Amino acid sequence: MKHDHYYNYQEVTEFLQQMQADYPKLFAFESMGKTTQQRDIWIASITNLKTGAADSKPAFWIDANTHASEIAGTQCALYFINKILSDFGKNETATNLLDLMTFYVVPRLSADGAEFYLQSNCEVRSTPEPWPNPAVHENFIQKDMDQDGEVLLMRKKDPSGAFKISDKNNQLLVQRSHDDLAGGKTDYYKLYEEGEFQNFDGFSENFESVYGFDLNRQYPSFFRPEGQQFGAGPYPMFLPEAKALVKAFTDRHRIYGHITLHTYGGLVLKPSAHQPDEEFDFNDTEIYKKLLLKAAEVSGYKALSVYKDFRYHPREFISGGTDDWSFEQRGVFSFTIEIWDVWKQAGIDVTEDVARYFNPKEDELLRIFTWAQKNLTYKDFYQDWKTFQHPQLGEVEIGGWKIGKLFRNPPPQFLQEETEKVYQIILAQAKSLPLVKIKQQIVEKLANNLNKVTLILENQGYLPTYGSEQALKVKSVELPFYELTLNPNQKIISGKLRSDVPHLKGRSRFLPWHSPVHFVSRKNEHELKLEWMVQGAGPINFSADFARGGKIKTQFSL
């Protein structure tokens, strides 16, 4: 896999085709639906087929590139595919995981949006479909005005402008403070994205977004339509990308864990975005804490709860997100990973994780600029301001930060380091799987060709076979059951040939008290004992379906 650039749609497709050719017994991919522009949305399944079919094992879901310009998510997804496949048979963790479970990977959900971004350098939230009002023809359209191959910023001198040139670096614009009076020698600036207005009347500056759809507001978890939340659209799954994800995810009913890959900030975020932890089951909350802290530990990213620590406005909340939906309506432990943190690279200890996006401090920008000068080629992260005669605004200057591969995504030379961090997060989360195994299998031969058959099963994994208490609450997981298949010359005397059985709990049942010093006993709810009396000779086949714990099977010889 190459790390010197970001893959376009054709390269993503060719990469998946190559993986399928190289690892036919471990890897397969298919289309889970079409985008608005009729691109296939690829989903890959990764498992060792010798140990069972993909849909028979506990499963973990990874999706990326929900937001068009957050292309580092795709690279991390592809890196994960490449590394776990190449490590199979060589690395114990990779080998064990592919023997025991299945990974489903959607490397590029917003295929239209990412392609638009990679080709044009223009910002689009998720998909290049006009929204919220396609009939409006007085928007601001981003475009490469000076035809230099970049879409940057435009600044124009104006006494009412909200920005000024930094006293410490004459290339940087910084916020104008409340006590910066107009009328002095200081120049102030209005700031625009590079582009032009539609149907400009010489005065009205309408900055309504042309491409306002946000896939991460489209999911049916506390959905709020456009009038209540910008970018949400008129109803859940209005966009085909969101509908395809919901169907594919729901069809794969053994999923116990989920990671959605975004940028930026160097963060591991846990849902919910719209309600506090106290609204959820206590045991689920405790499991979330363990998973969250482990993800932060292996990656160096910061662990945050969205509702408590990551809100764009203290009196507002986000809803309709992928991770909220997968946990609240599917009962799957899910996380959002915000890849890459240029602030941390520059040695800045951030205390306000959301505010830095919208209200960066002058000192922080100066330190980031200095770091970039030392570590990157100047032309790759900044363009000096140059005068341009704008057809509508008159004289402006074009230049500034190249944010796409500095702030929003890692510069290519830092890409592999970030993909490895995400790889470690995925492995750490995947290891929490429920894992049903046969503990004991006994056949006692009695008189009159009678046999007592005993089978003891146990969940050796961390999570219960139902995944979460939330899954039980919303009934998104079925009850386990078994089947016993006899030969024609055999007869069951006691016990059932087919029956529902209880779910098996995992080690997470010990939470929150789990001490080797002050021992707290628990029932053996992780085990199940089954017994039958069978008359006759020959083999008996046993199979059981433990929902998110997967399928197991064995054979008795009578």
Side-chain angles (χ1 to χ4, degrees):
M1 181 177 176
K2 297 178 181 178
H3 301 282
D4 58 351
H5 71 288
Y6 286 92
Y7 283 29
N8 61 27
Y9 182 78
Q10 181 177 343
E11 289 174 302
V12 170
T13 302
E14 290 172 352
F15 172 89
L16 298 176
Q17 291 169 338
Q18 188 64 54
M19 291 297 100
Q20 187 162 269
D22 290 347
Y23 302 97
K25 297 179 181 179
L26 299 174
F27 180 87
F29 79 103
E30 61 183 318
S31 174
M32 69 178 195
K34 297 279 190 180
T35 66
T36 303
Q37 297 177 0
Q38 297 302 299
R39 290 184 175 89
D40 284 301
I41 306 170
W42 301 123
I43 180 170
S45 59
I46 313 170
T47 193
N48 181 9
L49 295 176
K50 289 184 178 180
T51 59
D55 62 1
S56 72
K57 301 177 181 179
F60 196 96
W61 177 285
I62 303 153
D63 62 69
N65 221 162
T66 290
H67 293 139
S69 62
E70 298 176 6
I71 48 179
T74 293
Q75 301 297 127
C76 289
L78 298 182
Y79 178 84
F80 172 80
I81 292 171
N82 186 75
K83 183 162 186 179
I84 201 163
L85 289 173
S86 60
D87 279 356
F88 180 79
K90 305 170 188 174
N91 174 275
E92 183 179 2
T93 296
T95 304
N96 286 345
L97 286 176
L98 294 193
D99 282 346
L100 297 170
M101 59 171 293
T102 299
F103 289 97
Y104 296 112
V105 185
V106 180
R108 177 157 286 167
L109 181 62
S110 184
D112 295 348
E115 203 70 2
F116 178 87
Y117 173 73
L118 287 166
Q119 291 177 2
S120 69
N121 287 320
C122 293
E123 287 292 322
V124 52
R125 183 57 168 163
S126 284
T127 181
E129 294 302 309
W131 185 261
N133 188 353
V136 171
H137 299 291
E138 294 181 353
N139 293 305
F140 184 85
I141 307 297
Q142 272 190 294
K143 62 185 296 187
D144 183 6
M145 298 299 296
D146 58 0
Q147 300 295 304
D148 66 349
E150 300 280 356
V151 179
L152 302 170
L153 295 171
M154 302 188 304
R155 69 185 189 186
K156 180 176 176 61
K157 291 181 181 180
D158 192 305
S160 69
F163 300 94
K164 64 179 182 180
I165 296 174
S166 169
D167 294 333
K168 301 176 182 178
N169 184 331
N170 61 13
Q171 286 297 94
L172 295 186
L173 285 184
V174 296
Q175 290 181 357
R176 179 178 173 183
S177 69
H178 66 280
D179 57 353
D180 281 329
L181 292 175
K185 294 182 180 180
T186 303
D187 289 327
Y188 300 114
Y189 293 87
K190 293 175 72 173
L191 199 59
Y192 307 81
E193 293 169 325
E194 188 176 351
E196 61 184 355
F197 296 95
Q198 290 178 303
N199 301 322
F200 190 53
D201 63 4
F203 175 76
S204 302
E205 297 181 355
N206 183 7
F207 282 95
E208 184 175 2
S209 176
V210 181
Y211 307 121
F213 271 126
D214 190 335
L215 273 168
N216 212 35
R217 308 291 183 268
Q218 264 273 288
Y219 295 93
S221 175
F222 204 79
F223 176 81
R224 294 179 296 158
E226 189 67 27
Q228 298 175 349
Q229 185 171 227
F230 182 75
Y235 56 82
M237 298 177 290
F238 175 79
L239 293 171
E241 293 87 349
K243 184 176 181 179
L245 185 145
V246 167
K247 185 178 188 309
F249 195 108
T250 305
D251 287 347
R252 291 156 177 81
H253 63 284
R254 302 192 193 280
I255 298 169
Y256 67 88
H258 168 214
I259 283 177
T260 181
L261 299 174
H262 291 244
T263 69
Y264 57 103
L267 304 171
V268 184
L269 304 176
K270 67 163 289 294
S272 166
H274 64 89
Q275 54 186 326
D277 288 349
E278 289 75 18
E279 297 296 322
F280 299 103
D281 180 86
F282 178 76
N283 192 255
D284 285 353
T285 301
E286 291 299 308
I287 291 173
Y288 252 125
K289 288 179 183 177
K290 295 286 186 183
L291 298 177
L292 182 68
L293 292 176
K294 187 64 177 181
E297 176 189 326
V298 300
S299 63
Y301 285 0
K302 186 185 292 188
L304 298 178
S305 174
V306 176
Y307 186 84
K308 179 183 176 183
D309 306 313
F310 198 77
R311 296 166 74 174
Y312 294 150
H313 190 285
R315 297 184 181 181
E316 294 289 339
F317 59 84
I318 296 168
S319 62
T322 324
D323 54 356
D324 276 8
W325 169 78
S326 61
F327 176 63
E328 293 177 21
Q329 296 196 11
R330 297 302 302 163
V332 174
F333 289 106
S334 56
F335 293 88
T336 294
I337 309 300
E338 299 285 355
I339 303 159
W340 177 245
D341 184 1
V342 72
W343 275 263
K344 187 173 182 179
Q345 294 287 335
I348 301 166
D349 184 17
V350 174
T351 56
E352 297 178 321
D353 290 284
V354 176
R356 63 168 153 173
Y357 296 138
F358 311 109
N359 191 26
K361 299 173 183 176
E362 179 177 4
D363 179 62
E364 293 176 353
L365 294 177
L366 290 167
R367 292 175 67 176
I368 291 170
F369 191 90
T370 300
W371 174 85
Q373 282 183 307
K374 292 179 180 178
N375 292 277
L376 308 174
T377 303
Y378 188 79
K379 67 179 179 62
D380 290 336
F381 76 90
Y382 205 87
Q383 180 170 295
D384 291 340
W385 297 93
K386 58 184 180 182
T387 302
F388 177 77
Q389 194 65 31
H390 194 277
Q392 298 168 332
L393 301 175
E395 185 176 292
V396 299
E397 293 174 273
I398 297 177
W401 297 100
K402 300 182 180 181
I403 65 170
K405 295 175 186 175
L406 176 66
F407 288 91
R408 183 159 286 119
N409 299 283
Q413 53 266 58
F414 289 85
L415 185 54
Q416 187 169 3
E417 179 183 342
E418 294 302 308
T419 57
E420 177 63 25
K421 291 176 184 177
V422 172
Y423 182 79
Q424 295 303 325
I425 292 174
I426 296 170
L427 293 189
Q429 303 288 50
K431 292 176 186 177
S432 67
L433 79 162
L435 183 59
V436 180
K437 292 287 189 179
I438 297 171
K439 182 178 182 180
Q440 204 168 7
Q441 183 173 327
I442 305 169
V443 175
E444 297 178 66
K445 297 185 181 296
L446 307 176
N448 301 320
N449 203 23
L450 199 62
N451 303 273
K452 182 181 180 181
V453 179
T454 303
L455 183 66
I456 299 177
L457 305 173
E458 67 177 358
N459 180 3
Q460 299 175 0
Y462 183 70
L463 293 177
T465 56
Y466 51 84
S468 69
E469 302 301 320
Q470 181 71 9
L472 293 180
K473 180 180 177 181
V474 299
K475 297 184 179 180
S476 63
V477 62
E478 63 276 12
L479 196 64
F481 66 92
Y482 74 81
E483 290 183 299
L484 202 64
T485 305
L486 305 182
N487 289 327
N489 64 337
Q490 296 170 334
K491 181 181 179 180
I492 189 162
I493 305 302
S494 68
K496 295 182 178 181
L497 289 175
R498 188 184 194 282
S499 179
D500 294 333
V501 293
H503 280 286
L504 302 182
K505 294 194 173 182
R507 296 193 311 279
S508 59
R509 69 190 185 279
F510 292 109
L511 296 175
W513 314 117
H514 198 184
S515 168
V517 178
H518 300 287
F519 182 73
V520 180
S521 62
R522 290 286 189 275
K523 296 178 182 179
N524 60 332
E525 297 170 289
H526 67 299
E527 294 181 319
L528 175 67
K529 184 178 182 180
L530 300 171
E531 291 183 323
W532 304 269
M533 296 292 286
V534 180
Q535 195 171 51
I540 295 177
N541 292 313
F542 172 88
S543 63
D545 189 320
F546 275 93
R548 292 173 184 178
K551 291 182 178 181
I552 61 167
K553 60 183 179 180
T554 188
Q555 189 177 80
F556 298 91
S557 294
L558 304 189

